[in-house]
Amino acid sequence: MELLKQLADMDLPAAFYAPADIDRLRVLRAAELVEALIPPVETLERGAHLHRTAQVLCITLKGRMALGGQAVESAPD
């Protein structure tokens, strides 16, 4: 939830590079709190992992409600 709070204060879309942040984004996306593009982790030689850039597109209505923002702005027609 801490990352979700941080996202609420950011201009979106936003890119994330750190593996720990990307893992937290996976959790938020799985809970349908954000829409995010998260490429799969690639396994390199010797068992190393390559994390590519993840991009958060937006916080979902469910995510805004989880933040306590029950009054969500309506989308333009």
Side-chain angles (χ1 to χ4, degrees):
M1 288 300 291
E2 189 61 36
L3 182 56
L4 186 62
K5 291 175 188 175
Q6 291 173 11
L7 289 169
D9 292 332
M10 297 174 69
D11 290 330
L12 299 178
F16 288 83
Y17 307 93
D21 288 337
I22 294 171
D23 288 340
R24 294 189 310 166
L25 286 175
R26 280 190 179 88
V27 172
L28 294 175
R29 184 178 68 176
E32 299 178 349
L33 301 177
V34 298
E35 288 185 18
L37 302 174
I38 305 174
V41 176
E42 292 183 33
T43 302
L44 305 174
E45 292 181 24
R46 300 185 188 139
H49 293 94
L50 173 65
H51 293 264
R52 295 192 178 192
T53 304
Q55 186 175 32
V56 178
L57 304 175
C58 67
I59 299 174
T60 64
L61 176 60
K62 185 176 178 181
R64 297 231 177 255
M65 291 175 70
L67 288 168
Q70 300 292 329
V72 177
E73 297 177 19
S74 59
D77 295 6

